[in-house]
Amino acid sequence: MIALAKMRLTAYLKTGRVLAPGLVVLLALLLFHGGGRSEAAEAYAVCALILFPAYAWQTRMILDGDPDVQRRLATVAVGSARREQAAGLLAATAAGLVVTGVSMALPWLIGAVEAEHDPLAKQLAIGLWAHLLALLAGLVLGALSSRAVTESAGKGVAVLAAGSALAIVLGLPKTPLAWVLPPMTAVAKTVSRHTLTAANTLGYTALAVAWVAVGLLVYARLRRNRA
């Protein structure tokens, strides 16, 4: 399984498919941080929200890298469909962590953030937490929009675009569907208002974990039915 994940990640890099999402992410971060200095936690929380569609897009590109026949051969090679699916998600997670590292480091390199409201360690922890929530949610959305689930590239793009828009627009705490969507928008708003507490941190984390768990179950079921 690890070897298959490495192979898919290597293919993603060597075929140049990494360039499109990579350049978009870099441009988006530079544009966002170009507006002046801000508190690190606030900037990181908003960046995590911005990166959510990018995480999903990257995941979809990695999972769609194999032709259908090659994907079925990989399932045979690793011994089960679950291991093949896990290998793809592992490769996407590794790529997402690289994006997270860039997002966490870049604002300091260009002098776009500061730590005056809270200690630096706390703000870095909040930023990493927000990014990981967005990464997990992006992995699930990217997986659900992959060709193996949607059965066509067009449908996959539609699922990716609609899922990203709905999660961002309807993810605020007071919207009717907030409890069934990943909480990136709510996290960004709460951190920006400096109202993040231990209680709502735990609540947002629990909601994100539940959403990811349900999403992965749906992904596994659809993959099993449509592979």
Side-chain angles (χ1 to χ4, degrees):
M1 184 180 73
I2 300 297
L4 180 58
K6 290 181 178 178
M7 184 186 74
R8 287 178 170 168
L9 189 57
T10 300
Y12 176 63
L13 297 173
K14 289 188 174 181
T15 57
R17 287 177 290 126
V18 65
L19 292 177
L23 290 174
V24 169
V25 165
L26 185 59
L27 179 60
L29 292 176
L30 288 174
L31 287 174
F32 173 74
H33 290 299
R37 295 174 66 87
S38 60
E39 282 291 301
E42 178 181 348
Y44 283 142
V46 177
C47 281
L49 177 62
I50 293 172
L51 290 179
F52 165 62
Y55 286 134
W57 181 21
Q58 181 171 255
T59 299
R60 179 177 177 271
M61 293 187 71
I62 291 174
L63 296 180
D64 285 355
D66 295 342
D68 294 338
V69 174
Q70 183 175 331
R71 188 178 66 248
R72 295 185 180 101
L73 290 175
T75 300
V76 175
V78 297
S80 71
R82 287 186 179 181
R83 292 173 65 85
E84 183 272 328
Q85 294 167 19
L89 293 174
L90 182 60
T93 300
L97 289 175
V98 173
V99 172
T100 297
V102 172
S103 181
M104 294 287 292
L106 182 63
W108 295 101
L109 296 177
I110 61 177
V113 291
E114 57 192 7
E116 294 184 355
H117 188 271
D118 286 312
L120 175 59
K122 179 180 179 180
Q123 298 206 41
L124 290 174
I126 291 173
L128 181 59
W129 167 72
H131 276 80
L132 291 178
L133 293 188
L135 171 57
L136 290 174
L139 285 173
V140 173
L141 179 58
L144 292 174
S145 66
S146 63
R147 189 179 66 251
V149 171
T150 62
E151 299 180 328
S152 74
K155 291 180 181 179
V157 172
V159 170
L160 180 62
S164 298
L166 289 173
I168 293 173
V169 174
L170 300 179
L172 291 171
K174 294 183 180 181
T175 56
L177 296 177
W179 64 277
V180 296
L181 293 169
M184 290 87 57
T185 305
V187 167
K189 187 173 183 179
T190 302
V191 174
S192 297
R193 292 182 172 180
H194 304 290
T195 56
L196 187 68
T197 64
N200 54 30
T201 298
L202 182 60
Y204 290 145
T205 302
L207 175 59
V209 170
W211 193 87
V212 169
V214 172
L216 289 177
L217 288 174
V218 173
Y219 172 63
R221 170 65 68 88
L222 293 176
R223 279 288 306 269
R224 182 169 65 250
N225 294 340
R226 300 179 183 182

